[in-house]
Amino acid sequence: MTEANLLQKYASEVFAGLVAPAAEGLEISAAPAADALAKEDVLVRMDRELKRALEKPASERRWVMVIDLRRCIGCHACTVACVAENKLPPGVVYRPVMTEEVGTYPNVTLKFLPRPCMQCEKSPCTEVCPVTATYHNEEGIVVVDYEQCIGCRACMAACPYGARTFDFGYTYTEQLPVFDGVTIGGKTAGAYEHASQEYGQAWERNGRHESPVGNVRKCHFCLHRIKDGILPACTTTCIGRATFFGDANDPDSLVTELINKPNVIRLKEELGTEPRVYYIV
Amino acid sequence: MLKKISYAVGALALLFGLWGVYVRLFEGEQSANYGSYIGWGLWVAMYLFLAGLAAGAYMLAAFEYLFNVPHFKGTGKTMLWAALITLPAGLASIGLDLGHIDRIWKVYLQPNFTSFLAIMVWGYTIFLILIALSLYFAFKSPEKAAMKVVMWIGFVVSILVAGGVGFLLGGNAARLYWHVGLLPVQFPVFAIASGAALMLVIVGWFMPNLEEKQRSDLLWLLAVISIATSVAKLYFVVADYTQSLYGGVTDNLIAVNYVLNGPQAFTFWGVQIVLGLLIPVIVLAQPKLAKNGFVAGLMGLFLLIGYAAARLLIVVPGQVAEMMPGQAEAFVGPKLTLEYTPSLMEWSVTSAVMGFAILGILIGMDYLINRKPRSTEVKK
């Protein structure tokens, strides 16, 4: 078998394309590499499917998230994107990535598990809320009405996934010095820190008593973005394309295709929570 | 003398506590040490303790008004009053734990009755009204049928609300340390145990005017109740912990080890077991000591401290196991930790609540229950 054949047989298309110029005299077609690069990015497909889903009545959509654990490299870009998108204060996190070290040296590897809110269909958190401040919206997403929440934290105790955190009123800039017109710090940074558009509303962050301070907060699949036809921040930011989002009621959607495969699991299914987040393992 | 000391302790506790209440109300919850992973701490534990105390005090008042136990004659009003004070104290403790206490009215006007918390708020409000009604009838017409009816309803409700608190925790299927059928069963026992301990203090220290024979008999009876309930409590703990250790489920092991060998080991072994159980049981088993007012009161106080510690060791360990492995290290930020020791501000607020309870009980006893008739009333 010639070197060219070997390359064509065993190496990836992209790799073969890259080494081609160096392999003098070998007959390697550039076509496979070009085809690979021309392949549609899943984000483009999901974006198109999102817009298609938004044409349906809200109650007919079933938003799900699929996370391919084989592709997650633990870069935490989704966590950071989420913090930036929702202007999360210190101590509030919607989508941490758990890291687990497996094995003993030298046979060691790391496993990563991004954990957004599972948006459970049978959610223990909504049941325990004494004032229905957290509930399923008409699309089935578990939301929090900040103006209704009394801050009892019963939902935090009930959530089997630890997906809720409490807003104690911290800000990233409160310890910084304030020099008018020179440095943004302390109170002058308020404009940045209260620019959050969660649930399609601007949230002021001027004190330690006004919502969402004193409330439990959680991932809401970036509903404010979805409304405008934009994928959740964690999905668009994932550099490994490990996070997928879409309407599982659409039989032709990517997420439907993915969750129907046999290597898909949901976390803590034994609790009967029926999560809307699926993991490919 | 003991009463003066108790007044002073109550006043000092309240004074120290006012600082914490001020900080909590005007500066928020940042200086509390509970967080997003251990979301319920000292104040929730003290709510369980004080609400249980109220239920227990009410149950013991029923010994006079419903069951006509002669030893308890003349103590019912005091126990009803103690319930009327300790329940609001407990509710204040949980109220200050809320992120938005200003919205508490929503639980009444916009309740979600699938929430056990909402049911409990309603239950405790009904219980508070029943306590007040019982006290009213105890003053006005203790022999009338209305009193019996109210007391019977109140007695049943006291058991339900006490058990309900257990369900409030136990209903969380994700928290294995709490999610045992035994938990709601334990709490009414806890309630009557803490009620008996409170009565040991009240009768031992503040009711010298009871007839001597009745007083010593009552103290002995309370000692027997305290020993029996303490042994029952110990049995619950041993059953719970051995089952958890034998079963070996990770979350349970983490919680039980946290109590037995971890950061709360002293609270468990030193406060709950030795101070709050062994010493009182051994002392109260001696009839001569149990009938001594000072000793009985002191043992009652030890028992109460032990029961309060036990509540803390139910609430906190149930939250120390990560819901997802690696959660605590996944994202760094304030209050994203699985470690919990109450902060000075939290202790201060609890101090205010306890000070209020101590002073409230004493003032009520002195100026309402045992009020000497004025000379004009004597003439009538």
Side-chain angles (χ1 to χ4, degrees):
Chain A
M1 189 176 278
T2 65
E3 282 175 290
N5 286 341
L6 268 174
L7 269 174
Q8 280 181 329
K9 189 171 173 62
Y10 297 112
S12 73
E13 292 169 344
V14 173
F15 175 74
L18 289 172
V19 300
E24 198 182 336
L26 297 178
E27 290 179 12
I28 298 172
S29 164
D35 283 350
L37 292 171
K39 213 168 163 184
E40 184 182 59
D41 190 314
V42 287
L43 283 179
V44 177
R45 179 177 172 186
M46 288 191 291
D47 193 54
R48 193 171 55 244
E49 291 170 357
L50 178 69
K51 288 181 173 63
R52 193 163 69 217
L54 287 172
E55 287 168 8
K56 297 196 293 186
S59 58
E60 289 178 21
R61 302 170 201 143
R62 183 168 172 267
W63 299 127
V64 302
M65 189 169 279
V66 185
I67 300 171
D68 189 342
L69 295 182
R70 301 166 307 177
R71 287 168 167 257
C72 178
I73 59 165
C75 67
H76 298 264
C78 55
T79 310
V80 176
C82 174
V83 170
E85 173 65 30
N86 294 297
K87 299 289 187 287
L88 301 183
V92 175
V93 61
Y94 290 173
R95 189 187 160 105
V97 178
M98 321 293 170
T99 304
E100 188 185 358
E101 192 176 297
V102 183
T104 49
Y105 181 84
N107 300 316
V108 185
T109 187
L110 291 175
K111 289 201 297 187
F112 306 104
L113 184 87
R115 195 243 46 218
C117 170
M118 299 291 131
Q119 313 292 354
C120 307
E121 287 179 26
K122 293 177 181 168
S123 47
C125 56
T126 54
E127 278 182 20
V128 300
C129 178
V131 292
T132 327
T134 184
Y135 57 94
H136 293 93
N137 73 0
E138 58 179 342
E139 294 170 290
I141 302 300
V142 179
V143 296
V144 179
D145 180 345
Y146 289 150
E147 298 295 350
Q148 180 75 1
C149 172
I150 63 170
C152 66
R153 300 187 290 280
C155 54
M156 272 172 28
C159 176
Y161 307 99
R164 289 168 172 259
T165 44
F166 192 75
D167 190 336
F168 282 88
Y170 292 101
T171 58
Y172 280 103
T173 52
E174 64 191 354
Q175 302 295 330
L176 298 181
V178 177
F179 299 108
D180 285 346
V182 182
T183 308
I184 293 178
K187 287 176 184 170
T188 56
Y192 168 77
E193 296 217 35
H194 67 61
S196 163
Q197 292 295 322
E198 279 185 283
Y199 304 111
Q201 186 180 336
W203 292 99
E204 298 285 331
R205 200 170 181 78
N206 296 327
R208 289 186 175 178
H209 300 284
E210 290 167 35
S211 291
V213 176
N215 293 140
V216 172
R217 303 179 63 175
K218 64 178 282 296
C219 156
H220 36 68
F221 278 179
C222 283
L223 275 175
H224 56 284
R225 286 168 63 104
I226 296 173
K227 181 170 63 72
D228 292 337
I230 309 169
L231 290 163
C234 55
T235 308
T236 54
T237 320
C238 180
I239 61 168
R241 298 291 186 267
T243 299
F244 308 93
F245 180 83
D247 174 21
N249 279 350
D250 177 352
D252 300 322
S253 70
L254 176 61
V255 289
T256 305
E257 199 178 291
L258 292 171
I259 64 175
N260 286 332
K261 290 188 188 296
N263 57 335
V264 169
I265 62 159
R266 293 186 292 180
L267 300 179
K268 300 190 180 184
E269 282 211 75
E270 70 278 9
L271 294 176
T273 50
E274 301 287 339
R276 286 172 184 245
V277 175
Y278 297 78
Y279 290 88
I280 301 175
V281 293
Chain B
M1 183 64 182
L2 273 170
K3 186 174 276 182
K4 282 181 183 167
I5 292 172
S6 302
Y7 263 111
V9 168
L12 283 173
L14 189 60
L15 203 62
F16 168 57
L18 290 178
W19 166 74
V21 173
Y22 172 83
V23 171
R24 166 64 193 90
L25 291 178
F26 293 97
E27 294 182 18
E29 293 175 88
Q30 288 184 5
S31 50
N33 276 355
Y34 52 78
S36 284
Y37 299 150
I38 298 185
W40 286 346
L42 180 68
W43 297 343
V44 174
M46 289 307 104
Y47 151 67
L48 301 186
F49 169 67
L50 288 162
L53 202 56
Y58 193 93
M59 290 173 193
L60 289 174
F63 279 43
E64 177 180 357
Y65 295 122
L66 287 182
F67 310 128
N68 299 316
V69 181
H71 303 76
F72 287 84
K73 195 169 170 51
T75 62
K77 279 183 206 160
T78 307
M79 296 316 287
L80 286 175
W81 175 254
L84 194 66
I85 290 294
T86 49
L87 184 53
L91 296 176
S93 188
I94 193 76
L96 288 165
D97 193 71
L98 297 178
H100 283 279
I101 192 172
D102 51 307
R103 297 177 187 163
I104 189 68
W105 60 270
K106 287 175 184 282
V107 188
Y108 295 103
L109 298 184
Q110 299 161 3
N112 168 25
F113 283 122
T114 67
S115 159
F116 217 76
L117 195 67
I119 294 172
M120 291 309 294
V121 170
W122 278 70
Y124 273 120
T125 306
I126 292 166
F127 186 43
L128 191 65
I129 293 167
L130 287 167
I131 296 169
L133 268 179
S134 305
L135 197 61
Y136 171 79
F137 284 122
F139 273 106
K140 290 289 174 190
S141 48
E143 302 304 324
K144 281 197 173 170
M147 173 66 172
K148 299 278 181 208
V149 171
V150 171
M151 281 299 294
W152 266 117
I153 297 170
F155 185 69
V156 173
V157 169
S158 72
I159 296 170
L160 292 178
V161 289
V165 168
F167 190 91
L168 190 66
L169 301 177
N172 292 300
R175 309 276 177 177
L176 291 185
Y177 181 75
W178 293 340
H179 189 55
V180 282
L182 205 57
L183 204 65
V185 180
Q186 289 182 48
F187 272 78
V189 180
F190 288 177
I192 199 156
S194 51
L198 178 67
M199 204 167 178
L200 274 171
V201 179
I202 288 175
V203 175
W205 286 1
F206 309 125
M207 277 189 155
N209 51 344
L210 278 183
E211 192 265 318
E212 186 52 38
K213 172 80 169 60
Q214 186 199 347
R215 185 162 175 265
S216 62
D217 285 354
L218 178 56
L219 286 174
W220 176 239
L221 187 57
L222 290 170
V224 172
I225 294 172
S226 292
I227 292 167
T229 49
S230 290
V231 171
K233 268 173 52 56
L234 185 64
Y235 179 76
F236 284 141
V237 170
V238 172
D240 202 357
Y241 286 8
T242 49
Q243 186 170 275
S244 295
L245 291 171
Y246 191 83
V249 177
T250 310
D251 283 10
N252 269 337
L253 285 183
I254 291 170
V256 173
N257 280 319
Y258 179 82
V259 175
L260 299 181
N261 320 309
Q264 297 294 343
F266 176 75
T267 313
F268 179 72
W269 295 109
V271 182
Q272 185 181 335
I273 298 297
V274 176
L275 182 77
L277 199 145
L278 289 181
I279 294 174
V281 165
I282 291 167
V283 171
L284 291 174
Q286 322 295 320
K288 199 175 169 185
L289 290 173
K291 291 176 181 176
N292 177 304
F294 174 74
V295 175
L298 189 64
M299 292 307 111
L301 181 64
F302 285 179
L303 284 165
L304 286 175
I305 293 169
Y307 297 148
R311 298 304 190 282
L312 192 66
L313 294 182
I314 288 174
V315 172
V316 177
Q319 303 165 84
V320 294
E322 290 175 306
M323 288 287 94
M324 301 293 298
Q327 182 183 10
E329 290 82 33
F331 191 80
V332 177
K335 309 209 184 287
L336 295 178
T337 173
L338 290 162
E339 290 172 8
Y340 175 72
T341 307
S343 69
L344 190 63
M345 188 274 276
E346 286 176 80
W347 281 117
S348 173
V349 168
T350 294
S351 173
V353 168
M354 294 301 173
F356 164 78
I358 293 168
L359 288 181
I361 291 172
L362 289 175
I363 290 170
M365 285 180 69
D366 281 347
Y367 297 99
L368 187 71
I369 314 289
N370 302 323
R371 183 172 64 96
K372 288 185 183 125
R374 284 189 219 145
S375 55
T376 51
E377 290 174 2
V378 173
K379 278 178 194 166
K380 282 180 189 171

